[in-house]
Amino acid sequence: MRLGMRMGLKSRQLGGSRLDPDAKLYIATVQAALGATTIEAALPAATNPKKIISDFYKAEKDAGRYSLHKRIYLPIYNNLAANAVDAITRDSGTFPISGAVTVAPGYVQGNGTTGYFNSNIGLPAVGGSNGNGSMWQIIPQRVLGISRYEGINGPLLERVSIGASSVNFNQFILPSNNSSLTIAISETSAGILIGSTTSTSSRFIKFLKSEVFTTQANTTIDTSAIPSGNLFFLARNNNDLGINNAHTEQRGGYGFGLGLTEAQAEGYALNLKSLYESLTGIALP
Amino acid sequence: MIGYITTPEVSAQISAAVREAQISRGIAPYLAIHGFPVTSGEHIGSHFLPFEDSALTTPLHANTRLTDYPEFTTLIAMLGGLEARIDLSPDAIYNASHDPPV
C-alpha cells in the first residue's frame, strides 16, 4: 500500500476499497458472534458481503438518513447470536432460549405462541416521540390469516406498532389508541413495509413491491401518550406483561428510528431491498 | 407448547442464571428465558418456561449449542430434566384483555 501510494496510486485503484467504519464495526461484531464460520460462509449467496454491507451504510450516510436509524436488525445469518446484533449500536437484542424462534439462511420465524425478539429498548429512549418515529419490516414470505403486529402496546392500547391484521390490512400506528386513526394498506405479498411519523398530524405507511410503493397517509392530530417499553418483533410487547400477536411470518429484517419523510422512507426501503437481496440471494417481489 | 411449569421465583432465578452465563463469558446477552404467567387452568399462578426440542439444535454464539454449556445441564436438572416438560395449551398463558385487536 505504501509503495503504491508513493507511485501515485490510490488504494481504490489497487483494489482495496475501504469499508465504511461503522460497517466495519458491525461486521466485526457479527463475525465474533459467528465464531469460526466466516461472514462469507454465513452468506453464501453474496458476492463480497462486506462490501455490500459497507455500501448500505455509505448510501444511508450519503442520503443524510443514517442518524435517523436507531436500530437495524438483519436476522439472516442462520445463527441466533449474529441475528441479534444491531447494525447501529452493535448491542444485542434478545431471543428466547426456548427454541421458539427458528433461524434459517435469510430469515427468522417465530412459533406463533412464545416466539419473539426483544430489542431491549423503547422508542422514547432513542429520542422518538409521538410525532417522531418509524418502524419497518422485511417480509420474505407471508403467513396469512393471523394477526402479525410488532412493537408495543401500552395499558390504554396506545401503540407503537407495525404489522398486518388477520384480514391482511398492513397497518402502522404511532402512538394512537384510537383505531379510527389507523392507516392501512391491503396487501398479501412479500415485500418491505415501513411506517413513519414526522409530526403529531402526519403519519404514513408504505409497502414496497415490484419497485413500486403503495402509500396511505393520515393527517389527523393525535397527541396520545407514547408507550416507553421495549419494542418487540415476531410478536408485540404487551404492556410489559408478556407478548401478543405472536406470529409465524418470516422476517428478513426489522428496526425502528426517528421520523422519516416520505422521500426518506422510500430511499431507505429501496436500500434495504438491495441489501437484503444481495446478501441472501432471496428476491423480494 | 412444550416447557416447564415452575414457580415465579425459580423462573426468575433461571432467567438471571441464563443472563449471567453469557456475561461471564464476555458475551452481550442475546438469549433470555421468559417465564409466562399461567392465567388459567390447573397451573394458574405458576410460570411456564417454554422449552422446545429445537432449542437443543439452534446455532448459538460461535457455533455452539446449548448442550456445550455446563450451566445448561445444571439448569435443566433444577427443572427436573427434559422429561419433566409438559405440553401446555396456549390458552393457559393467553390473556384476551391484553390483546388489542389491531
Side-chain angles (χ1 to χ4, degrees), chain A residues 17-21 23-24 27 48-60 275:
Chain A
S17 61
R18 290 189 180 145
L19 298 178
D20 173 87
K24 247 175 130 170
I27 290 164
N48 199 346
K50 291 176 182 171
K51 181 177 184 306
I52 293 167
I53 292 168
S54 179
D55 287 349
F56 170 80
Y57 277 79
K58 287 176 179 175
E60 289 309 298
L275 173 75

Side-chain angles (χ1 to χ4, degrees), chain B residues 7 10 12 15 19 21 26 40 47 49 51 57 76 80-81:
Chain B
T7 65
V10 170
S15 175
R19 184 175 168 79
S40 66
H47 267 198
L49 297 178
F51 198 84
T57 54
I76 293 299

Side-chain angles (χ1 to χ4, degrees), chain A residues 32-35 37 78-81 92-99 103 114 116 149 153 157 159 171 179 236 238 241 244-245, chain B residues 1 18 28-34 36-37 48 50-52 54-55 58-63 66 90 93 98-102:
Chain A
L34 290 171
T37 303
N78 197 25
N79 178 290
L80 218 51
S92 273
T94 45
F95 284 106
I97 200 170
S98 60
V103 297
T114 57
Y116 64 92
Y149 296 109
N153 64 265
L157 304 191
R159 281 153 285 177
Q171 297 171 322
S179 292
R236 187 162 62 188
N238 182 4
L241 298 172
N244 59 34
N245 292 290
Chain B
M1 303 181 304
V18 167
Y30 68 96
L31 287 175
I33 193 158
H34 178 78
F36 289 85
F48 178 69
F51 198 84
E52 309 280 344
S54 56
T58 301
L60 304 177
H61 189 272
N63 258 337
L66 276 179
I93 61 168
H98 295 146
D99 204 358
V102 295

Side-chain angles (χ1 to χ4, degrees), chain A residues 21 54 60 93 106 149-150 207 248-249:
Chain A
S54 179
E60 289 309 298
Y149 296 109
E150 304 178 339
F207 193 84
T248 55
E249 195 165 81

Side-chain angles (χ1 to χ4, degrees), chain A residues 3 6 23 27-28 46 51 81 97-98 125 129 141-144 150 160 177 180 201 204 206 239 248 253 281-282:
Chain A
L3 176 62
R6 278 206 296 269
I27 290 164
K51 181 177 184 306
I97 200 170
S98 60
S129 66
Q141 194 176 65
R142 288 288 198 178
V143 173
L144 306 178
E150 304 178 339
V160 179
N177 59 2
S180 68
S201 61
F204 63 84
K206 288 179 179 285
N239 189 27
T248 55
I282 297 171

